[in-house]
Amino acid sequence: ERSIHDANVAQATVYLENTLIPLVASNLQPVHCQNLTRHLQQNGINVRYLGRVRALSLDPEVKRVALIEMIARALAKLLKERWRQLEGNFLVAAIECAVQLIEDLLAGTMSKMLQELVVRKFGAESFSATEVEGGISVEQIRWALPRFCVLA
């Protein structure tokens, strides 16, 4: 019974990765950007595949919004990891931690580290070869901050 289950899971994964994700990604349009993650989930695609969706999408606006979502989610994860290490007056320390993170991001000192975090979370396909060279720009971080604030 377990081998049948494993075979079914493998078959579903192949379908998801080779058929469903490419189909949904190729049909994404700017109208879907308002609720991109919800649209993916409604089509059976987990948000962890956002990097692959971005790589397969042909629409520049969809690519931009997917990148913003990935950056925001990576930042939220990073902030929550830092919050777990806090001691003392949590509220004050949490605010100081968040402010320091945002200052570091806007200073441009975390570009490559943030890009590596996005790749670990969403896959190597998250960035094109030319995007890998420059890291995540401060402008892209600014685009992601409002979404980051919602997720954090």
Side-chain angles (χ1 to χ4, degrees):
E1 187 171 296
R2 181 168 173 91
S3 62
I4 293 171
H5 172 75
D6 291 348
N8 288 341
V9 169
Q11 185 179 13
T13 300
V14 168
Y15 173 77
L16 174 71
E17 293 178 350
N18 296 336
T19 304
L20 185 61
I21 292 173
L23 177 66
V24 171
S26 66
N27 288 316
L28 285 172
Q29 299 173 8
V31 69
H32 301 118
C33 291
Q34 182 95 15
N35 294 301
L36 181 59
T37 56
R38 183 182 307 148
H39 183 76
L40 294 177
Q41 290 167 341
Q42 287 173 341
N43 282 281
I45 300 172
N46 189 292
V47 175
R48 74 172 172 261
Y49 290 104
L50 196 53
R52 181 155 169 78
V53 169
R54 181 176 189 259
L56 295 172
S57 176
L58 302 175
D59 188 281
E61 181 63 10
V62 170
K63 286 181 175 288
R64 187 183 76 80
V65 170
L67 179 61
I68 288 169
E69 186 69 25
M70 291 187 301
I71 292 169
R73 286 174 179 267
L75 287 174
K77 180 181 179 187
L78 178 62
L79 182 62
K80 288 172 185 173
E81 287 171 0
R82 290 183 179 185
W83 280 348
R84 281 189 215 104
Q85 300 169 3
L86 295 178
E87 297 175 5
N89 184 338
F90 179 78
L91 182 58
V92 171
I95 292 169
E96 289 173 350
C97 182
V99 168
Q100 184 62 54
L101 176 61
I102 291 170
E103 286 176 355
D104 292 344
L105 289 166
L106 295 178
T109 60
M110 300 179 67
S111 175
K112 278 295 191 185
M113 184 277 299
L114 180 57
Q115 186 177 44
E116 291 167 6
L117 184 59
V118 169
V119 168
R120 277 197 311 274
K121 188 167 174 60
F122 296 101
E125 292 177 303
S126 300
F127 297 97
S128 68
T130 55
E131 289 174 319
V132 170
E133 293 298 314
I136 295 175
S137 71
V138 172
E139 180 183 22
Q140 291 168 324
I141 291 169
R142 282 191 183 120
W143 293 341
L145 283 178
R147 180 67 178 142
F148 159 68
C149 291
V150 170
L151 293 171

